[in-house]
Amino acid sequence: MIKYSIKKKIIDGFTYLFLTLFSLAILLPILWVVRTSLATDVIAYQIPPKWFFTPSLENYRDLFVTNGFLRFFGNSLIISIGTTLVAIPIATLGAFAFTRFNVGGRPLQFIVLGTQMLPGIIFILPIFVIFNSLKLTDTYIGVIIAYLAFNLPFLVWLLMGFFEGLPQELENAAAIDGLSPFETFIKIVIPISAPGVMAAAVLSFILCWNEFLFALVLTGGTTNPVPVGLAAMATQRGVLIGKLSAGTTLAILPMIIISFTVRKYLVRGLTFGAIK
Amino acid sequence: MNGFFRQKRITGIRFATPMILTLALVVFIPLIFSFVVSFYRYTFINPDFNQFVFFNNFINAFRDQYFWNAMKVTFLFVGLVVPLEFIVGYSIALLLNREIKFKTVFYTILTIPMVMSPVVVGLIWKMLLHPELGIVNYFMSVLGLPYINWLGSPKTAIVTLVLVDIWHQVSFMILILLAGLSSLPKEPFEAAIIDGANGLQILLYVTTSLMKPIITVAVLMRLILAFRTYDLIYIITKGGPGISTDIISYYIYKKTFMGMDLSQASAVSYLLMLVVMVIVVILFRQMVKER
């Protein structure tokens, strides 16, 4: 028994050591970027680095005043919220049709999932040509419509997982009480699956916020969201380490914070409900 | 009774109509458009359908050495990141599944990259690995390690991208595999301990065999996602140095927006679609088995 506990202590020691090392490997690069975002240009470019300095918000101010970051930020918000607001009603109806009425059966469900998993580059070429001829490029409406291509299938699959878990007795009772299927959906199904639908909306928001390829191709000067703005800054006049760090910090912080509200649902979201 | 089922079918279709119409608009019409385009000579300079060329765009792709290079880079990248991310991710998930203190703290930190976009990850590492201003080479020199030109040479650039991708995507594996591990039944483990199995035997014959379905889903999913890697390449190397990191999505992007050759790009994107579709079908069959 003594031998056993020594062995356990050694394994425990290894566990803590490795987990600490891996955690530091994730955390340190992020913290370094936050640190650099608070440094003036002189300090940001210094190698060997200066460890202690008075933090300055100069980079953040420059970002908003000279680089028009407020516009990127606003565009990201408009596009992400807009897409989510359009996608959620369509996706809840669609997911309900799949789970309760088995519309189209497995083949249609497969097509909806399958298309979402294909590389974005396959869709964006024809979408660009079509939208260009419809004058939809560099418009919010255009980007929001295009984002539905990946967002809608994602949400349908996620929501199907939620609806499958709901007890059907309530719906049956509602039907006996004379409610139409649509009334049942609005008055019974949506209220009891509200937490799931909210989580889906948050995940959809994160997905849109982080999207790059569609935005790169479809947006222009007036509609560029944060990732496109940051990418453009990275190629301008060498490396603007301080300002880029500030922009990066602003791009990730909101996502890290709001992702805490949907921690529980993250696995489901990532696997389209395959693993619960 | 027949009327009842017909009524039910119609109701279902009504619920599904907005979804089907939207997907037709943003998914199927574009896919049909690029399918048609891939059989014509259609460029941005000459955007019309008056030259039907049969399979010429596909044949030209197969004759293009840059296409083969892009395929090679893609398969090399995917073939490296997926197994490595699985090994690292599974190891971390196994450690996190033990009874330890600060579990939530470790878990929270290790899954942060999950919600970061590849653009942001690319920018962070591009700054840290910068040849003169980067902090990584400075620390290596402090530790007495040799200077590495991370992104400057064709051989190191692809390895660097693989490492950055592991940094970013390992959290995906941790999240899914840990969810799987924590939902495994307890009985097989108790039985194995009573039978006198040691730790390694339990890991190999009990844990991993019970985890097999979840491991399959996680690996297939990561495989599909790895095939669409684009943002990271765009931000960090733009396919360079030379064409050493010219991954297939970036190759198609260049063909379209720099080469202006939409028909050639569409043909190649259909070839890419074919490859990914095969994996998607395998994944879907696995998921149907699970449900």
Side-chain angles (χ1 to χ4, degrees), chain B residues 12-281:
Chain B
I13 292 170
R14 277 201 193 127
F15 272 97
T17 302
M19 171 184 70
I20 292 168
L21 285 181
T22 317
L23 288 179
L25 187 74
V26 291
V27 174
F28 302 120
I29 292 175
L31 281 184
I32 293 165
F33 181 82
S34 64
F35 185 74
V36 174
V37 163
S38 67
F39 291 97
Y40 282 85
R41 176 107 204 90
Y42 184 107
T43 59
F44 284 128
I45 297 144
N46 182 25
D48 49 49
F49 293 99
N50 46 25
Q51 270 189 70
F52 186 73
V53 296
F54 293 99
F55 292 104
N56 272 1
N57 291 316
F58 294 90
I59 296 167
N60 285 341
F62 287 128
R63 283 195 186 136
D64 181 6
Q65 56 161 351
Y66 296 110
F67 167 73
W68 290 111
N69 172 73
M71 289 302 260
K72 201 188 81 194
V73 171
T74 308
F75 278 91
L76 182 68
F77 181 83
V78 172
L80 284 172
V81 295
V82 176
L84 289 172
E85 282 163 12
F86 167 69
I87 294 168
V88 179
Y90 194 40
S91 314
I92 296 177
L94 285 168
L95 293 177
L96 276 174
N97 197 41
R98 304 186 73 238
E99 277 176 31
I100 49 164
K101 285 176 207 150
F102 312 116
K103 194 184 247 182
T104 343
V105 179
F106 286 129
Y107 180 77
T108 308
I109 294 172
L110 288 166
T111 50
I112 286 177
M114 202 61 257
V115 292
M116 293 167 66
S117 73
V119 171
V120 161
V121 173
L123 287 173
I124 291 178
W125 284 101
K126 203 180 173 187
M127 288 189 273
L128 298 178
L129 297 171
H130 192 276
E132 294 101 41
L133 307 168
I135 191 74
V136 174
N137 270 328
Y138 166 73
F139 279 123
M140 294 197 32
S141 73
V142 171
L143 295 170
L145 296 166
Y147 172 88
I148 296 175
N149 192 355
W150 296 97
L151 298 162
S153 89
K155 278 211 181 87
T156 51
I158 185 85
V159 177
T160 305
L161 284 173
V162 167
L163 292 173
V164 172
D165 195 74
I166 294 173
W167 185 89
H168 186 200
Q169 301 290 356
V170 111
S171 50
F172 174 88
M173 286 285 183
I174 299 175
L175 216 62
I176 294 179
L177 295 174
L178 185 63
L181 283 172
S182 55
S183 68
L184 293 182
K186 294 269 181 299
E187 298 80 20
F189 293 92
E190 285 157 9
I193 291 167
I194 292 167
D195 288 347
N198 64 35
L200 190 67
Q201 284 170 325
I202 292 181
L203 174 64
L204 285 178
Y205 300 113
V206 186
T207 318
T208 304
S209 76
L210 287 173
M211 280 289 286
K212 226 170 152 191
I214 291 163
I215 290 175
T216 313
V217 168
V219 169
L220 287 174
M221 212 155 244
R222 187 62 206 114
L223 201 59
I224 292 164
L225 296 176
F227 266 106
R228 55 177 189 202
T229 307
Y230 171 85
D231 312 8
L232 205 62
I233 307 284
Y234 181 93
I235 296 293
I236 301 186
T237 64
K238 291 234 159 62
I243 49 168
S244 60
T245 58
D246 190 19
I247 216 158
I248 194 80
S249 286
Y250 194 68
Y251 168 90
I252 297 172
Y253 176 83
K254 275 195 308 189
K255 265 261 176 293
T256 316
F257 295 102
M258 289 166 211
M260 301 289 175
D261 191 346
L262 194 72
S263 40
Q264 182 82 52
S266 298
V268 177
S269 71
Y270 259 85
L271 294 173
L272 171 63
M273 182 161 137
L274 220 63
V275 174
V276 180
M277 214 60 193
V278 171
I279 315 170
V280 173
V281 171

Side-chain angles (χ1 to χ4, degrees), chain A residues 97-213:
Chain A
F98 274 159
T99 42
R100 289 292 185 271
F101 301 98
N102 200 24
V103 174
R106 284 282 169 206
L108 186 65
Q109 295 173 16
F110 168 71
I111 291 170
V112 171
L113 169 76
T115 48
Q116 127 96 56
M117 304 203 105
L118 296 174
I121 191 84
I122 295 172
F123 300 104
I124 195 59
L125 305 188
I127 288 180
F128 172 74
V129 176
I130 296 168
F131 280 21
N132 204 22
S133 64
L134 298 173
K135 304 250 179 303
L136 278 173
T137 47
D138 199 14
T139 63
Y140 294 119
I141 309 248
V143 194
I144 289 172
I145 294 174
Y147 271 22
L148 292 174
F150 60 85
N151 213 319
L152 204 51
F154 167 79
L155 285 172
V156 168
W157 270 83
L158 190 60
L159 290 164
M160 275 175 72
F162 292 131
F163 291 152
E164 273 166 12
L166 292 183
Q168 256 194 294
E169 291 79 18
L170 274 171
E171 289 163 48
N172 295 342
I176 292 164
D177 284 349
L179 261 65
S180 75
F182 189 71
E183 283 170 334
T184 312
F185 177 74
I186 294 292
K187 289 182 183 157
I188 311 285
V189 178
I190 289 299
I192 51 174
S193 51
V197 176
M198 274 308 291
V202 173
L203 288 172
S204 151
F205 179 84
I206 296 177
L207 202 67
C208 296
W209 182 275
N210 286 343
E211 205 286 328
F212 178 65
L213 177 59

Side-chain angles (χ1 to χ4, degrees), chain A residues 24-272:
Chain A
L24 286 177
I26 297 294
L27 215 49
L28 289 181
I30 300 171
L31 289 178
W32 188 257
V33 169
V34 176
R35 169 252 176 215
T36 309
S37 77
L38 297 169
T40 57
D41 272 352
V42 183
I43 297 168
Y45 284 102
Q46 238 170 35
I47 292 282
K50 199 171 174 181
W51 291 98
F52 300 100
F53 56 87
T54 337
S56 126
L57 289 176
E58 201 180 298
N59 290 317
Y60 289 90
R61 203 200 58 212
D62 283 359
L63 208 53
F64 284 103
V65 177
T66 57
N67 293 73
F69 202 78
L70 197 63
R71 170 170 268 175
F72 300 145
F73 216 82
N75 288 339
S76 270
L77 280 176
I78 293 172
I79 294 169
S80 305
I81 295 175
T83 309
T84 305
L85 286 181
V86 177
I88 286 285
I90 303 176
T92 41
L93 286 168
F96 194 68
F98 274 159
T99 42
R100 289 292 185 271
F101 301 98
N102 200 24
V103 174
R106 284 282 169 206
L108 186 65
Q109 295 173 16
F110 168 71
I111 291 170
V112 171
L113 169 76
T115 48
Q116 127 96 56
M117 304 203 105
L118 296 174
I121 191 84
I122 295 172
F123 300 104
I124 195 59
L125 305 188
I127 288 180
F128 172 74
V129 176
I130 296 168
F131 280 21
N132 204 22
S133 64
L134 298 173
K135 304 250 179 303
L136 278 173
T137 47
D138 199 14
T139 63
Y140 294 119
I141 309 248
V143 194
I144 289 172
I145 294 174
Y147 271 22
L148 292 174
F150 60 85
N151 213 319
L152 204 51
F154 167 79
L155 285 172
V156 168
W157 270 83
L158 190 60
L159 290 164
M160 275 175 72
F162 292 131
F163 291 152
E164 273 166 12
L166 292 183
Q168 256 194 294
E169 291 79 18
L170 274 171
E171 289 163 48
N172 295 342
I176 292 164
D177 284 349
L179 261 65
S180 75
F182 189 71
E183 283 170 334
T184 312
F185 177 74
I186 294 292
K187 289 182 183 157
I188 311 285
V189 178
I190 289 299
I192 51 174
S193 51
V197 176
M198 274 308 291
V202 173
L203 288 172
S204 151
F205 179 84
I206 296 177
L207 202 67
C208 296
W209 182 275
N210 286 343
E211 205 286 328
F212 178 65
L213 177 59
F214 279 41
L216 178 70
V217 173
L218 291 179
T219 63
T222 48
T223 50
N224 279 340
V226 172
V228 179
L230 283 176
M233 271 172 63
T235 47
Q236 278 167 12
R237 300 165 280 138
V239 208
L240 308 158
I241 284 191
K243 275 195 260 180
L244 264 183
S245 298
T248 305
T249 309
L250 288 179
I252 50 183
L253 271 189
M255 292 310 104
I256 294 178
I257 294 165
I258 67 168
S259 76
F260 283 114
T261 62
V262 286
R263 281 269 133 179
K264 278 206 300 192
Y265 299 97
L266 224 46
V267 174
R268 237 191 239 202
L270 286 174
T271 58
F272 311 93

